[in-house]
Amino acid sequence: MGCDNISKSIVALITPFKNNQIDFDELKRICKYHLENQTDGLLLLGTTAEAEALDDEEKKQLVNFVYKIVYPKIELIVGIIDNVTDKVIEQSKLFDGLDIKAFLVINPYYNKTNESGLLKHFTYIADNVVKPIIIYDVPKRTGMKIPFEVIRALSYHQNIIGIKEASSDIIDHLKLSTIANENFKLYGGDDSLMLISLFLNSEGIISVIGNAFAKETSLIIHSFDKNVAISKMMFYKLLPLILQMYGEVSPIGIKYVMYLLGFNTLEYRRPLDEPSRQLKRKLENEVLQLVSQD
């Protein structure tokens, strides 16, 4: 299966709720915001979307809704967050008929597995889904790091087109950059390492901060090869907020930041809750600093 390039500025989209239901009116508004502010791609149903709190029907409705608004102007990746191999394949069928660029597939969590299990898990999925897959390596969520040798072996599979590296380890990024190529792309998955990921020739960044600061995030990514000074200036402008944003488990922080900027995103689905009073104050201060600079 061919490997189409996935655009560089990709935002891991949040899910707005109202009365514990998906707020489709606000979701439409958020989609239009990204259409207007140079977002190249959207990752739907990732960790930032509170995907595990959505049932299959909600997942299907959300993806179809966003698809109708942004396609083909913005490319879509759909996350499949499950720790059972066959369930990943079943979930992928929810999105049959949509021109999705790839599925983002996390490694098994809780039950975990060994190296041979990881190889078989991703290989079996890649053999049995109709879209390419991107591996999602996020040890802080899954409790295990995908070993480099496993990733290297999987990189040769024609239907595995890349990896989102969110381990927050510079050495992991460095090692993966040595095997990245036209058929297996490296995507940065940690906002605080955005510049480092770009320096290591990542195809792009799958960001959280881009939910609230889409144009600024796009500027960081698209300016990097043309004028790195502009890229660095904007990155360091956003960095204090990025660092505070993860003071509590994501997407708690980013949804509050968006609320401060006028979006109706101050509702979470259990077990998530609003930020603590202390984190709210910190985020309010950082957002005020950014807004007052404009």
Side-chain angles (χ1 to χ4, degrees):
M1 192 175 293
C3 174
D4 294 334
N5 286 341
I6 295 174
S7 300
K8 289 187 176 181
S9 181
I10 305 164
V11 173
L13 201 70
I14 63 102
T15 303
F17 295 107
K18 184 177 182 180
N19 300 323
N20 203 37
Q21 302 297 314
I22 298 173
D23 186 346
F24 286 102
D25 288 337
E26 192 64 11
L27 183 58
K28 182 177 182 179
R29 183 177 168 220
I30 292 169
C31 287
K32 288 185 175 180
Y33 167 76
H34 288 290
L35 283 167
E36 294 167 359
N37 286 280
Q38 303 168 21
T39 296
D40 300 313
L42 293 174
L43 165 63
L44 308 180
L45 305 182
T47 307
T48 311
E50 301 173 69
E52 286 198 289
L54 303 175
D55 62 35
D56 284 356
E57 184 58 31
E58 287 176 316
K59 291 176 181 178
K60 186 175 180 179
Q61 289 177 358
L62 186 149
V63 172
N64 276 275
F65 184 84
V66 173
Y67 185 89
K68 289 176 182 176
I69 295 171
V70 306
Y71 181 83
K73 294 181 179 179
I74 294 179
E75 297 175 341
L76 297 181
I77 304 170
V78 173
I80 303 182
I81 310 297
D82 207 293
N83 59 343
V84 178
T85 311
D86 288 336
K87 288 184 178 179
V88 172
I89 295 165
E90 282 303 308
Q91 279 201 43
S92 75
K93 295 175 183 177
L94 294 172
F95 316 108
D96 284 352
L98 301 182
D99 186 16
I100 294 163
K101 285 296 179 180
F103 292 122
L104 183 75
V105 179
I106 201 168
N107 61 294
Y109 48 89
Y110 185 67
N111 53 356
K112 305 183 185 179
T113 186
N114 56 9
E115 290 193 16
S116 63
L118 284 171
L119 279 167
K120 291 176 181 177
H121 173 75
F122 282 109
T123 299
Y124 190 76
I125 292 168
D127 286 343
N128 287 279
V129 296
V130 298
K131 299 293 182 182
I133 71 170
I134 297 171
I135 299 167
Y136 184 17
D137 185 31
V138 56
K140 60 190 173 186
R141 296 280 184 178
T142 63
M144 70 176 297
K145 176 83 181 72
I146 306 176
F148 174 72
E149 292 304 325
V150 171
I151 297 170
R152 180 158 62 181
L154 292 169
S155 72
Y156 293 104
H157 194 294
Q158 63 177 357
N159 202 36
I160 298 177
I161 64 168
I163 182 166
K164 177 187 176 185
E165 182 53 44
S167 69
S168 302
D169 189 316
I170 296 172
I171 300 301
D172 288 337
H173 282 70
L174 182 60
K175 289 168 70 176
L176 289 171
S177 71
T178 67
I179 61 171
N181 55 58
E182 281 302 308
N183 297 311
F184 185 78
K185 308 286 190 179
L186 172 60
Y187 294 90
D190 186 322
D191 286 356
S192 65
L193 296 182
M194 199 180 298
L195 282 185
I196 293 170
S197 297
L198 292 169
F199 179 77
L200 293 174
N201 295 319
S202 292
E203 178 71 6
I205 306 298
I206 301 176
S207 74
V208 174
I209 190 66
N211 277 282
F213 292 93
K215 185 178 292 185
E216 292 83 352
T217 302
S218 179
L219 182 64
I220 293 168
I221 295 164
H222 290 278
S223 295
F224 188 81
D225 290 332
K226 302 171 185 175
N227 189 331
V228 71
I230 293 175
S231 184
K232 288 169 66 176
M233 177 192 68
M234 184 56 68
F235 173 74
Y236 288 121
K237 183 177 177 180
L238 291 182
L239 184 59
L241 175 60
I242 290 171
L243 295 177
Q244 294 292 352
M245 201 172 65
Y246 292 98
E248 293 172 9
V249 65
S250 187
I252 288 174
I254 187 60
K255 291 187 83 171
Y256 189 68
V257 169
M258 293 180 72
Y259 165 74
L260 294 174
L261 294 172
F263 292 97
N264 297 320
T265 55
L266 195 58
E267 187 172 324
Y268 304 78
R269 192 167 269 187
R270 288 186 293 272
L272 297 188
D273 197 11
E274 290 186 24
S276 65
R277 183 180 301 174
Q278 294 88 341
L279 182 57
K280 284 182 177 180
R281 299 297 88 80
K282 291 176 181 178
L283 294 174
E284 288 163 7
N285 180 64
E286 294 300 341
V287 170
L288 180 61
Q289 293 290 327
L290 281 168
V291 173
S292 63
Q293 292 175 33
D294 292 338

